[in-house]
Amino acid sequence: MKNLDYGVIGNCKTAALISKEGSIDWLCFPNFDSPSVFSRLLDKKAGGNFTIEAGSDYEITQKYLTGTNILCTTYRSLNNSFEILDFMLRYHTADDGYYTPPEVHRYIRLLEGKPKLRIHYNPILNYAREQVEHIKYPDYIRTNSVENMRDSIYLYSSFQFDDILQSREIALEKDEYMLLAYSQKLVKIDIKRIYLEYQRTKVYWLNWDNRSRNL
């Protein structure tokens, strides 16, 4: 394993590894010891990945938002730019517990111009041993194991589902999102919900960071 140049996002129950090009190459759902959804880290050809790809003329940089576990990958060309904010939810609830659902949020923010991108959504379940099929519903894509229909994950997105599944070129004209969840969501998912969860998670990590500095 030659390349370990990865960012890590997590919720203290599971974690995803994201390459400097913005590809999720490792994720186990719903826990650390669960079978993998993406395992390209171990097998580049067969492992599966979840990539947002821009053209070769884009310069890509990556950093964490200061004081948080939110990973920001920025794509810039001469006249176009956008960023991906990758995070898993973790914040306090009213009963002094923690909200930590098995979800990966990919919040895509337009910075300049009209950048073009492609999405490669390629989950291969159970350490690349179970191929999948995608079923489109009005609000989400359900991805099932061919061998076990109950082994499934759910992708919510503001992008057109066919553009995702067929890796078509997309012109980014506004902020967009993708939400990968282990379970079907009972609340409406839209860009406002994604922004709210982003802010809640950011506040949690900023508070955590502030307390940690005083130890």
Side-chain angles (χ1 to χ4, degrees):
M1 190 180 298
K2 297 180 180 180
N3 179 17
L4 292 177
D5 191 2
Y6 281 88
V8 182
I9 60 169
N11 61 3
C12 297
K13 292 186 177 180
T14 190
L17 298 181
I18 302 172
S19 76
K20 61 184 180 180
E21 290 83 23
S23 176
I24 300 179
D25 287 352
W26 181 260
L27 173 65
C28 291
F29 257 2
N31 301 308
F32 285 113
D33 59 351
S34 301
S36 69
V37 173
F38 308 111
S39 56
R40 189 185 187 190
L41 181 69
L42 301 181
D43 190 323
K44 188 173 183 179
K45 292 183 178 180
N49 63 302
F50 187 4
T51 303
I52 298 174
E53 180 185 86
S56 58
D57 58 327
Y58 283 80
E59 178 185 2
I60 305 174
T61 58
Q62 196 173 67
K63 65 179 182 180
Y64 288 100
L65 298 189
T66 302
T68 79
N69 187 232
I70 298 172
L71 187 66
C72 179
T73 307
T74 303
Y75 301 72
R76 293 188 183 276
S77 67
L78 183 61
N79 298 310
N80 304 289
S81 61
F82 67 98
E83 66 183 8
I84 308 168
L85 297 169
D86 284 308
F87 59 97
M88 291 186 181
L89 303 188
R90 183 176 176 87
Y91 52 81
H92 289 287
T93 57
D95 60 359
D96 203 31
Y98 295 97
Y99 185 60
T100 57
E103 299 174 2
V104 175
H105 292 238
R106 312 204 77 178
Y107 179 22
I108 302 154
R109 296 204 296 197
L110 175 64
L111 300 178
E112 182 184 9
K114 194 174 181 179
K116 295 181 179 179
L117 56 88
R118 294 181 190 272
I119 299 163
H120 301 282
Y121 176 60
N122 184 32
I124 305 179
L125 306 182
N126 195 13
Y127 304 102
R129 291 182 292 189
E130 297 180 17
Q131 296 298 316
V132 302
E133 62 178 359
H134 303 294
I135 304 172
K136 293 182 294 182
Y137 291 86
D139 297 327
Y140 56 84
I141 300 169
R142 176 174 171 169
T143 302
N144 302 317
S145 165
V146 173
E147 299 178 11
N148 180 4
M149 289 289 290
R150 289 183 290 184
D151 187 7
S152 58
I153 55 176
Y154 299 82
L155 182 66
Y156 296 80
S157 181
S158 54
F159 292 117
Q160 295 294 315
F161 293 162
D162 285 337
D163 290 346
I164 295 173
L165 295 177
Q166 298 177 31
S167 297
R168 294 173 180 165
E169 186 175 75
I170 301 169
L172 189 64
E173 299 178 346
K174 62 184 188 304
D175 293 354
E176 306 278 6
Y177 71 87
M178 291 183 287
L179 164 58
L180 183 65
Y182 183 72
S183 303
Q184 186 177 348
K185 301 292 291 181
L186 299 179
V187 298
K188 180 182 178 181
I189 305 300
D190 56 22
I191 195 69
K192 292 181 180 179
R193 167 68 61 172
I194 298 299
Y195 181 74
L196 174 62
E197 300 291 46
Y198 161 70
Q199 293 293 349
R200 285 170 167 169
T201 299
K202 183 170 71 171
V203 168
Y204 167 81
W205 286 115
L206 289 173
N207 287 334
W208 180 88
D209 181 64
N210 183 63
R211 294 193 305 271
S212 298
R213 292 181 181 182
N214 294 328
L215 294 178

